[in-house]
Amino acid sequence: DAGVIQSPRHEVTEMGQEVTLRCKPISGHDYLFWYRQTMMRGLELLIYFNNNVPIDDSGMPEDRFSAKMPNASFSTLKIQPSEPRDSAVYFCASSLSGHITDTQYFGPGTRLTVL
Amino acid sequence: AQSVTQLGSHVSVSEGALVLLRCNYSSSVPPYLFWYVQYPNQGLQLLLKYTSAATLVKGINGFEAEFKKSETSFHLTKPSAHMSDAAEYFCAVSDPLPGGSQGNLIFGKGTKLSVKP
């Protein structure tokens, strides 16, 4: 399997622009997670899906952030409008099942810079 | 709520020396604990996990960790460091959700390991 795929790997945009990050989970995995990594706050869970349904979005910072999973093989994280403080590395991860001990497999991340 | 503290944001060792990365957790329920490694410009990769079986857990690349309930610790060790071990290491605890299903991973701030020749 190719693992979790994220695109783009790097994104530079200007404040106020819309940004869309994309993720393809490992085939057969029922859970998909979006994380954000910053120097100040470390790794934070933003939202996760089970079978394409958002389960917990309490980590989404504000209404400017939205995430969708239209099918089992694709998810997007959108920021509109973007702000400089959104600059971070965004990771997508997937896991096979919902068991608490299940391994999460991470993608390579998207490094977002908002100028 | 669960939390994880990693002591030391940077650790430097010589090649061949012992690696010890510290992790302490707080948890109101029996924890499930994980160590992930992140190489530069890559995603996180699972090194090992503790799931309430053996307290000494062996992982990939020669790493192991020991769960010590009395010390609320889950330190990561490797007897002999290799240059390729240079990376950032994250300790995480699984935070159970209502109903006992998939837990969120609560990560520590990470420890950057440097290996000197």
Side-chain angles (χ1 to χ4, degrees), chain B residues 16-117:
Chain B
L18 170 73
V19 175
L20 170 61
L21 305 181
R22 300 179 186 273
C23 172
N24 288 88
Y25 69 91
S26 67
S27 174
S28 57
V29 298
Y32 297 101
L33 296 157
F34 306 77
W35 275 101
Y36 280 81
V37 60
Q38 184 180 25
Y39 297 103
N41 299 315
Q42 295 186 27
L44 280 72
Q45 177 184 1
L46 181 69
L47 271 179
L48 49 82
K49 60 183 174 182
Y50 167 74
T51 59
S52 74
T55 56
L56 182 63
V57 182
K58 295 187 184 299
I60 62 172
N61 301 339
F63 283 92
E64 61 183 37
E66 186 172 9
F67 172 69
K68 291 187 177 180
K69 185 177 179 180
S70 61
E71 299 178 6
T72 60
S73 69
F74 190 57
H75 301 332
L76 182 70
T77 61
K78 182 174 180 177
S80 177
H82 192 272
M83 297 295 289
S84 61
D85 295 326
E88 191 158 17
Y89 293 80
F90 293 89
C91 183
V93 62
S94 191
D95 184 18
L97 295 169
S101 64
Q102 175 71 47
N104 299 334
L105 284 176
I106 308 298
F107 286 91
K109 288 293 181 69
T111 297
K112 191 163 289 188
L113 175 67
S114 301
V115 182
K116 299 174 291 188

Side-chain angles (χ1 to χ4, degrees), chain A residues 11-17 82-85 87 112-115:
Chain A
E11 176 80 36
V12 180
T13 190
E14 292 188 347
M15 182 173 63
Q17 296 298 307
S82 58
E83 296 182 3
R85 60 193 168 119
S87 298
L112 173 65
T113 303
V114 183
L115 303 174

